[in-house]
Amino acid sequence: MTATRSLAAFAAGLTLEALPDSIRTLLPTLMVDYFRAGSIGGRQSWVAKAHSVLDTLSGPRRCAILFSGRKADPVRAAYENGVIAGSLDWDDSHIAAIIHPGIVIWPAAFAAAELTGASGRRLLEAAAAGYECAIRIGMSIQPDHSLRGFQGTPTCGVFGAAIAAGLLLGLDVDGLQNVLGLAASYASGLSQFFISGSDVKRLHAGKASAAGMEVALLAQAGLTGPPDAIEGAQGFCCAASDTFDPAIITDGLGERFWLEAISLKVHAGTVRLQAAIEAIEAICRQDVAPRDIARIEIGVPRLLIGKLTWNAPVDQQQAQMSAPFAVAMTAFLTHARPVPLIVGIDDFGAMVTDPAVRDLAARTACVFDAAIDAAMTKEVVPARVTVTLRDGRTRDQTVMRPKGCPDNRITGAEVRDRYRLMAAPLRTPAQIESWLAQAEAVHLLPLAADLMS
């Protein structure tokens, strides 16, 4: 079978029992982490701007908007929820696929589940299929896809959202093949924001989730897409990368789940900064204050050079993508915060214009480190941080397995604790505990929509 057909057949036949125990345990954790991000995202200024437009376009309002009491049609609900949870850079990530799949897949899956009255069990099956399809497509075209200037979250994530929504709408193999065929023409998203800043990245997950929901509805109505839209000579993967490897999509499909390699983030910001933030925190906990620091060197793998290495971010979004700024900011935050340190979205907003942080960021350089490059895998991006003090002494810290990576996971219990902390301004303790109990037993819920109430 072609890659497109193989993914459709895999998704159509996937059951909860076919998933490894580790995946069945991981899925509710990823779901709670999505809601945790959503509990913070709703108060951001860009969400209000997006809502002011999307709300005027909405059709019959059947699907809930996270933590708001509002509803929208399924396409607009997927869009807005994707922006709410996916605009913080505080989401799950897949290193090899270079995507954030959950923030695209969960909004479409919940919108479709609300539309159809699907069970929690069916929600998990659809989400698992969506994750695996998006991740495999991403892995088959990376890193060339990213180096060309595409951002994989919207370009590859739309396939995962479309599969999840299509399954919950009851589409069979042929319908899901059409879903993928239609989604291929919706797949888009550029990375110029890395260089120039702007708000556009904050929309990427939402627009891809909405597109996935939309193509699922179109396929349900009988519209078709090319049966080889993913692997065809003028299909998505060949257009998006010169290094497309179709075997990555099909090899071990249904037996080896790349979803197991997902990472969660301690800190708001790209997953490729987590190790460097952890390293500078460890150094500063050794009685090193920002005023003591003459300069900082961050040893990074080759893939990061020129993409996350600028010293003077122009806005909050770019600050979250800047290794020098994130490390400099963490040096200032460490002594003001208890262990464990959490660098949040609001920290970047508050400190992006801080003269002292920007001065230290200007004295922070990213350099290629052969040992770090060799240690980078499909699952982890390590980092080395060397601080030179004003008296000439140095402090060095290497973090090979940052907290949140598959070999050093943020546990389900830790994710639930983070949800409790971040949802506290919005819900009573009793409401939080009641919701978490439902989330932990999501596979038993007759209606997945209960989690959105």
Side-chain angles (χ1 to χ4, degrees):
M1 288 191 289
T2 65
T4 308
R5 184 72 176 183
S6 294
L7 288 174
F10 156 74
L14 186 64
T15 65
L16 213 54
E17 288 76 19
L19 295 170
D21 290 344
S22 57
I23 297 290
R24 289 199 295 271
T25 300
L26 178 61
L27 282 168
T29 296
L30 296 177
M31 185 188 71
V32 173
D33 197 63
Y34 159 70
F35 277 90
R36 186 262 324 163
S39 72
I40 308 163
R43 67 170 183 257
Q44 306 303 323
S45 61
W46 52 83
V47 171
K49 294 174 184 176
H51 170 70
S52 70
V53 175
L54 296 173
D55 191 56
T56 65
L57 305 176
S58 192
R61 299 168 186 269
R62 301 177 60 182
C63 302
I65 305 299
L66 287 167
F67 296 96
S68 70
R70 294 183 284 105
K71 290 194 173 186
D73 68 73
V75 174
R76 244 61 61 177
Y79 201 136
E80 193 161 345
N81 287 333
V83 174
I84 289 170
S87 59
L88 309 178
D89 284 297
W90 215 348
D91 39 26
D92 63 31
S93 306
H94 197 279
I95 300 294
I98 315 184
I99 60 171
H100 306 286
I103 53 172
V104 183
I105 292 162
W106 289 114
F110 270 104
E114 288 185 279
L115 194 63
T116 61
S119 68
R121 173 193 179 87
R122 195 62 183 143
L123 174 80
L124 293 181
E125 291 170 341
Y131 267 94
E132 194 65 19
C133 289
I135 289 168
R136 283 176 174 266
I137 291 170
M139 289 177 63
S140 76
I141 57 175
Q142 296 288 14
D144 184 59
H145 185 61
S146 179
L147 295 172
R148 281 186 174 200
F150 291 102
Q151 202 225 352
T153 298
T155 61
C156 302
V158 65
F159 295 103
I163 282 289
L167 281 168
L168 290 162
L169 291 177
L171 299 183
D172 61 10
V173 177
D174 292 335
L176 293 174
Q177 182 168 311
N178 283 321
V179 159
L180 292 170
L182 293 167
S185 285
Y186 279 66
S188 64
L190 302 176
S191 294
Q192 185 63 26
F193 61 82
F194 275 116
I195 299 168
S196 309
S198 83
D199 287 328
V200 71
K201 183 177 184 289
R202 306 209 186 272
L203 303 178
H204 275 186
K207 81 172 189 65
S209 191
M213 185 71 240
E214 185 169 294
V215 299
L217 291 167
L218 292 171
Q220 185 185 45
L223 287 164
T224 64
D228 54 354
I230 291 173
E231 74 284 348
Q234 295 190 38
F236 169 74
C237 289
C238 291
S241 174
D242 287 330
T243 59
F244 169 48
D245 183 355
I248 292 175
I249 294 178
T250 56
D251 285 358
L253 184 60
E255 299 172 359
R256 200 282 188 225
F257 287 86
W258 284 106
L259 168 54
E260 287 189 291
I262 209 83
S263 293
L264 294 176
K265 297 178 188 173
V266 173
H267 310 291
T270 175
V271 69
R272 289 164 177 79
L273 303 185
Q274 304 293 309
I277 290 174
E278 200 171 307
I280 189 65
E281 180 194 1
I283 290 171
C284 289
R285 295 287 182 201
Q286 302 170 23
D287 294 323
V288 173
R291 64 178 178 274
D292 303 325
I293 299 173
R295 61 185 181 275
I296 302 173
E297 180 179 278
I298 309 171
V300 298
R302 191 179 306 279
L303 188 64
L304 268 65
I305 298 295
K307 197 140 191 177
L308 304 172
T309 54
W310 49 83
N311 300 78
V314 300
D315 58 17
Q316 181 183 7
Q317 174 66 83
Q318 200 179 51
Q320 291 180 266
M321 302 288 109
S322 166
F325 183 85
V327 165
M329 183 179 72
T330 302
F332 281 87
L333 290 174
T334 296
H335 289 290
R337 301 278 175 85
V339 177
L341 175 70
I342 297 176
V343 178
I345 179 73
D346 294 337
D347 294 321
F348 285 95
M351 301 182 79
V352 66
T353 58
D354 187 293
V357 177
R358 294 183 73 86
D359 174 66
L360 183 55
R363 292 180 276 120
T364 301
C366 291
V367 300
F368 170 71
D369 186 303
I372 294 297
D373 191 66
M376 191 177 98
T377 70
K378 293 180 183 294
E379 301 181 355
V380 64
V381 179
R384 172 187 55 81
V385 172
T386 301
V387 170
T388 300
L389 304 177
R390 295 191 183 277
D391 62 10
R393 293 177 298 149
T394 62
R395 296 284 189 275
D396 189 90
Q397 184 75 36
T398 297
V399 173
M400 301 302 291
R401 299 184 304 120
K403 181 70 172 177
C405 76
D407 289 335
N408 187 15
R409 287 201 184 277
I410 297 174
T411 66
E414 288 170 326
V415 168
R416 291 189 292 275
D417 283 344
R418 296 201 312 166
Y419 175 84
R420 289 183 178 99
L421 175 67
M422 295 175 187
L426 304 173
R427 296 289 183 269
T428 67
Q431 288 173 327
I432 288 172
E433 294 309 317
S434 175
W435 187 89
L436 283 172
Q438 285 187 306
E440 288 184 66
V442 57
H443 62 290
L444 300 177
L445 287 179
L447 288 175
D450 286 350
L451 289 168
M452 294 295 292
S453 64

